[in-house]
Amino acid sequence: MLMTGMSDFSDWKPEWNAEIFRRMKSNPQHAYIFLTKCPDKISFSTDDENVWMGVTVTRNSEKKRLDDLKRNIKAKHYHVTFEPIFDEIGDIDFEGIDWIVIGTETGHRKGKVDSRPEWVLHIADQAQTQGVPVFMKEDLLPIMGEERMIQELPEQFTKRLQ
């Protein structure tokens, strides 16, 4: 369950966290996915096996968010979402990251940036080399073509789906 589809975990009030995590603890059969763009604004810890804490990175200048995520949020599972991708992300250290998701900008915004195949492949190749599962969202299909699409789920996550 994506818990932050319309919000950012960094903006949640502590009393919300307490109530939500209490309820999640009583429903361990589900996997709960959290996402933030502001891990530098968070100080949080959970030892729940079914919680996935993640960060969004859209450009090279935001890679610091990966370090901020692991420093400020203590969790058993981490993920990174590269969506949308606005430029070449460059080299990435995926140490401690359990899963990545890659997507492109959707909609028809003036100035919209479509992810370039080489940007997507550079991220995916690095992740796979470092043993991190890669999931390319369906919105990449027109850009990547069916033969280059990768849709892997981490083992810890798929156990919850069975």
Side-chain angles (χ1 to χ4, degrees):
M1 293 183 180
L2 179 60
M3 301 298 292
T4 50
M6 298 299 287
S7 66
D8 190 302
F9 184 68
S10 67
D11 295 328
W12 287 20
K13 296 178 181 178
E15 57 270 21
W16 296 355
N17 290 347
E19 177 63 18
I20 289 167
F21 276 80
R22 183 186 65 73
R23 289 181 186 219
M24 289 181 344
K25 213 177 252 313
S26 66
N27 289 283
Q29 72 275 20
H30 300 297
Y32 299 95
I33 301 171
F34 290 84
L35 198 56
T36 183
K37 291 181 181 175
C38 305
D40 56 316
K41 293 176 24 179
I42 301 172
S43 178
F44 187 78
S45 180
T46 178
D47 62 355
D48 293 339
E49 186 65 41
N50 60 338
V51 173
W52 291 72
M53 300 302 285
V55 67
T56 299
V57 174
T58 64
R59 59 186 81 239
N60 184 288
S61 62
E62 296 172 351
K63 284 191 301 190
K64 179 185 179 299
R65 290 179 179 175
L66 286 118
D67 293 330
D68 290 341
L69 172 72
K70 292 182 280 184
R71 181 177 43 258
N72 298 332
I73 302 173
K74 302 301 179 208
K76 292 201 175 195
H77 303 290
Y78 295 106
H79 67 97
V80 181
T81 298
F82 296 93
E83 179 188 24
I85 306 171
F86 293 124
D87 66 17
E88 168 59 54
I89 301 294
D91 293 336
I92 306 162
D93 178 6
F94 286 115
E95 178 72 32
I97 301 298
D98 299 294
W99 187 33
I100 69 162
V101 175
I102 307 172
T104 192
E105 186 172 9
T106 58
H108 304 286
R109 170 184 79 81
K110 183 179 179 181
K112 175 183 171 190
V113 176
D114 286 321
S115 299
R116 295 187 187 161
E118 61 269 20
W119 297 348
V120 173
L121 290 172
H122 190 218
I123 294 168
D125 290 346
Q126 291 180 78
Q128 289 188 314
T129 297
Q130 296 178 51
V132 178
V134 174
F135 188 91
M136 294 180 186
K137 293 178 78 173
E138 292 293 322
D139 55 25
L140 283 173
L141 190 57
I143 295 166
M144 299 304 295
E146 198 168 314
E147 67 283 349
R148 294 192 292 187
M149 289 292 287
I150 303 167
Q151 293 190 319
E152 303 169 329
L153 297 173
E155 182 181 335
Q156 308 94 317
F157 192 75
T158 56
K159 286 178 186 176
R160 299 216 169 270
L161 298 176
Q162 296 172 349

